[in-house]
Amino acid sequence: MKNFEPEQFRQHFPLIYKNRYINSGDESLLSIIYFDNGATTQKPNAVIECLPAFYQNINANVHRASHNLSAKATKAFEQARETVKTFIHAKSNKEIIWTKGTTESINLLASSLGKKVLSSGDEIILAVSEHHANIVPWQIIAEQIGASIKVLSLDAAGRVDLNEFDTLLTKQTKIVCCAHVSNVLGKINPIVDIIKKAKAAGAVTVIDGAQAIAHFPVDVQKLDCDFYVFSAHKMYGPTGVGVLYGKEALLDAMPPYQSGGEMIKNVSLNKPTTFNSLPFKFEAGTPNIAGVVAYAEAVHFINQFDHDELTKYEQQLAQYCFQALSRVPTVKFIVEGAPDIPVIAFTIEGHHNHDIATSLDSYGIAIRSGHHCAMPLMEYLNISGCLRVSMAAYNSFDEIDYFINTLIKVIQQEKENSLGEVTHKTIHNKDTESNEIINKFSKIKSWDSRHREIMLLGKTLQRMDKGLRNEDSLISGCESLAWVVVNKSPQGTFSFQADSDAKIIRGLLVIVLSAFNGKSALEINAFDIDSFFEHLGLIQHLSPSRGNGVLAIVDKIKILTQ
Ligand code: PMP
């Protein structure tokens, strides 16, 4: 095992390492400061290279054929299971089920375990800070069975409240679901106590380890949880691979989830089909073989380093970033105290999260804004969303310095922009306005200048009367609040009024509306927003999607005008 050396560790990640220009002094070089590791991590060379090597050398289906290639593929696939079993200290390979991610692992449990242990009137306890993946599958099965969900709240620091847990836990509680670490709050939940108490009450425990697994060693036998789920892609592995760990006796007693090939022992059209033994009973169909094999490389990669040192380094990053953010006067943390893993959530007073995140992106800094798939948590904290910085062991103190300095600059720029002169434009001539915008953008080359231009355009958008901002005009699917109303002329062409609480969305509204103003329903329906954004040179950074609001705006306009 090697000592953990941050700079040496970083060199394994080509996407991170080749974009390390922040200290080169060359402003023309784009740096990527990747602080969105909670969403997915970057991949080390060992994982990247494993995928083509698998397809070039040993690709075949697993467990099926009696030829050498299939035997090689099966061996690699099953060795990967052994690697993961050892990594989380499970008792047996039978307890490691391959899925396509945390979400699928929980869906499997809700469906199969839910059917096994829940009856009408039973209760499931889950924390208010759970990711949607650990809420919605339980809501669906609870509704089907007539069970109910009890919600566990948090203490001021953002960890689940153990006192409240004592009062929620009853004879009716059959399943307790809790994230080891919330993907927004970065605090380690007291799951050892939760598991002990749940066990004493006869309830089964499901721990969502999607965030924890990347940051510190996990021992499922020591935790004594019944189930532990996580995704490969959040711990330097490929996307499309996940793990469901479960105690063998429980898995054995559960009915199959999906059915088809591989999960059967015997199929007959004349007598009942019998099912394969663990773990195959839960692995219907051809799995992501190359992904599983590459995932084992990710685990071997982590295992090369002293895991405790890696965790300690990440905690130092978390502390450093938390302290630096505390010194920025307008930063408000959404819960009290420093995080346990390098995941920090905050808002900036007086500024929309989306505006701050897109401005940072124009300086090459990738952080996340929005509800982070934790809408109930946002509601509980009475916020519409927040910013999240989530770091990994390849991030550095230099990057944090660059991020903090840029954040301060961006907040200042945002303030100055709000004070600037505003000229409202009302152009309803077909094509004039969009051509003007295309011309303007064609002269600007860099993303940060284009971003500045979008923000300037946003200032030209006439604010909409508050009375017009209602359910009917709301653009749903956009992560910020945005509204649009349509006016139809006697000639059958349309003009629009629109607004948003985020400046970047106001800018995007000016751009999108310029394309639609003065057009007929037919022309609007036929309009190709992708090629318009291509023309504007925005496609690489703002490729129309629901996430950034562009598609949601376009869909709403198309619906309103048809
Ligand atoms: N739970 C938590 C705590 C997560 O952070 C995530 C991913 N953001 C998920 C579940 C879902 O993981 P996946 O999308 O890989 O299925």
Side-chain angles (χ1 to χ4, degrees):
M1 191 186 292
K2 290 186 212 160
N3 286 345
F4 174 77
E5 289 287 340
E7 188 51 34
Q8 197 256 338
F9 184 83
R10 190 178 166 82
Q11 286 176 19
H12 289 271
F13 294 83
L15 193 144
I16 296 292
Y17 197 64
K18 74 175 194 276
N19 291 305
R20 66 193 187 289
Y21 300 119
I22 51 169
N23 283 329
S24 72
D26 185 344
E27 293 275 324
S28 69
L29 294 172
L30 176 73
S31 54
I32 293 178
I33 310 292
Y34 186 73
F35 282 175
D36 193 17
N37 294 283
T40 196
T41 57
Q42 299 303 335
K43 317 303 170 201
N45 282 318
V47 171
I48 297 169
E49 286 158 12
C50 178
L51 288 164
F54 174 86
Y55 286 115
Q56 281 163 18
N57 301 314
I58 57 169
N59 176 53
N61 211 329
V62 287
H63 303 132
R64 294 182 187 185
S66 51
H67 56 77
N68 186 262
L69 214 47
S70 173
K72 274 190 189 160
T74 304
K75 190 168 171 211
F77 187 75
E78 289 306 322
Q79 268 173 353
R81 203 186 301 270
E82 173 73 24
T83 301
V84 170
K85 178 212 114 184
T86 309
F87 187 67
I88 63 166
H89 305 275
K91 253 191 205 147
S92 151
N93 286 0
K94 293 179 182 168
E95 298 178 323
I96 306 295
I97 314 288
W98 297 122
T99 63
K100 63 183 160 68
T102 308
T103 304
E104 194 182 42
S105 299
I106 300 173
N107 273 278
L108 188 163
L109 285 175
S111 172
S112 173
L113 175 74
K115 275 184 204 138
K116 179 77 193 161
V117 304
L118 290 174
S119 308
S120 173
D122 283 343
E123 290 168 358
I124 300 165
I125 297 179
L126 50 83
V128 71
S129 47
E130 295 310 304
H131 187 282
H132 296 164
N134 205 19
I135 298 177
V136 187
W138 301 112
Q139 285 177 326
I140 291 174
I141 193 72
E143 197 184 323
Q144 282 169 4
I145 289 184
S148 60
I149 289 180
K150 288 206 169 169
V151 181
L152 183 55
S153 45
L154 310 175
D155 62 18
R159 296 184 185 91
V160 295
D161 184 343
L162 276 178
N163 293 330
E164 197 194 26
F165 186 58
D166 288 334
T167 61
L168 290 185
L169 196 62
T170 67
K171 274 197 293 220
Q172 271 70 51
T173 311
K174 294 290 160 22
I175 301 175
V176 174
C177 308
C178 185
H180 200 162
V181 183
S182 144
N183 62 309
V184 184
L185 306 170
K187 304 291 178 97
I188 301 177
N189 279 318
I191 60 159
V192 173
D193 291 320
I194 297 262
I195 293 163
K196 258 193 210 137
K197 285 170 190 272
K199 199 172 175 187
V204 173
T205 45
V206 175
I207 305 299
D208 176 351
Q211 293 296 329
I213 197 79
H215 297 288
F216 50 83
V218 168
D219 184 328
V220 289
Q221 288 193 70
K222 272 200 191 135
L223 287 174
D224 197 23
C225 53
D226 294 310
F227 297 97
Y228 197 95
V229 295
F230 50 99
S231 304
H233 72 97
K234 291 186 198 285
M235 50 177 293
Y236 312 123
T239 53
V241 177
V243 174
L244 162 62
Y245 157 80
K247 284 185 179 161
E248 189 178 338
L250 283 165
L251 286 172
D252 234 353
M254 282 160 47
Y257 170 52
Q258 293 184 333
S259 47
E262 189 61 27
M263 53 74 70
I264 50 87
K265 189 184 282 169
N266 191 57
V267 180
S268 159
L269 296 175
N270 304 314
K271 51 183 191 227
T273 290
T274 51
F275 304 119
N276 207 338
S277 53
L278 289 175
F280 312 114
K281 178 172 103 178
F282 290 107
E283 293 179 357
T286 300
N288 181 355
I289 307 165
V292 162
V293 174
Y295 175 39
E297 285 304 322
V299 179
H300 292 313
F301 170 76
I302 296 173
N303 282 341
Q304 282 178 63
F305 302 95
D306 184 320
H307 211 159
D308 291 333
E309 280 183 19
L310 185 152
T311 303
K312 200 165 139 212
Y313 174 72
E314 287 195 347
Q315 280 165 352
Q316 285 166 351
L317 289 177
Q319 280 294 337
Y320 186 78
C321 190
F322 179 75
Q323 297 303 341
L325 279 168
S326 318
R327 290 190 288 273
V328 180
T330 45
V331 164
K332 279 184 77 180
F333 297 108
I334 69 168
V335 288
E336 287 174 7
D340 301 319
I341 63 165
V343 171
I344 309 174
F346 58 99
T347 57
I348 307 281
E349 247 172 306
H351 299 280
H352 198 287
N353 302 313
H354 214 43
D355 288 332
I356 298 291
T358 42
S359 294
L360 287 170
D361 182 50
S362 74
Y363 289 95
I365 300 169
I367 72 164
R368 185 80 175 270
S369 90
H371 54 61
H372 313 281
C373 297
M375 284 166 109
L377 175 65
M378 300 297 121
E379 202 178 347
Y380 173 78
L381 296 171
N382 207 12
I383 52 178
S384 61
C386 61
L387 295 160
R388 181 187 73 181
V389 164
S390 54
M391 290 172 282
Y394 44 63
N395 288 126
S396 67
F397 295 99
D398 280 352
E399 289 178 329
I400 297 174
D401 289 342
Y402 178 80
F403 157 63
I404 296 288
N405 291 337
T406 312
L407 180 68
I408 293 167
K409 187 154 85 180
V410 158
I411 295 171
Q412 190 53 36
Q413 279 168 353
E414 289 275 310
K415 254 192 230 148
E416 284 161 13
N417 282 345
S418 314
L419 298 174
E421 275 288 300
V422 182
T423 348
H424 296 302
K425 296 198 296 181
T426 338
I427 304 171
H428 297 291
N429 287 345
K430 191 173 157 177
D431 295 335
T432 328
E433 200 180 351
S434 59
N435 287 340
E436 230 177 59
I437 288 178
I438 290 176
N439 270 341
K440 193 175 274 175
F441 275 87
S442 67
K443 292 187 193 115
I444 317 171
K445 293 291 168 241
S446 67
W447 165 229
D448 59 334
S449 309
R450 286 187 170 134
H451 174 264
R452 220 169 299 131
E453 192 55 44
I454 299 172
M455 299 302 266
L456 286 175
L457 281 176
K459 290 174 72 180
T460 68
L461 188 72
Q462 188 103 42
R463 299 310 303 263
M464 205 161 123
D465 196 72
K466 277 211 170 93
L468 290 173
R469 301 185 203 167
N470 52 37
E471 278 298 307
D472 291 338
S473 59
L474 188 71
I475 301 174
S476 61
C478 182
E479 279 226 4
S480 337
L481 288 173
W483 306 266
V484 62
V485 288
V486 163
N487 308 299
K488 191 174 183 182
S489 74
Q491 293 75 35
T493 58
F494 290 92
S495 61
F496 307 90
Q497 276 174 284
D499 204 350
S500 170
D501 60 344
K503 290 183 198 144
I504 182 82
I505 297 294
R506 291 209 285 277
L508 288 172
L509 279 165
V510 173
I511 294 176
V512 173
L513 293 184
S514 77
F516 289 138
N517 261 330
K519 294 216 164 77
S520 68
L522 260 182
E523 288 170 310
I524 288 173
N525 202 29
F527 190 80
D528 178 2
I529 193 73
D530 278 304
S531 44
F532 184 54
F533 267 62
E534 183 90 57
H535 261 70
L536 292 168
L538 291 176
I539 203 89
Q540 295 116 299
H541 291 279
L542 279 171
S543 170
S545 79
R546 297 207 147 259
N548 59 33
V550 175
L551 274 192
I553 296 167
V554 172
D555 286 351
K556 177 84 178 179
I557 290 174
K558 288 192 174 173
I559 289 166
L560 289 176
T561 53
Q562 296 316 301

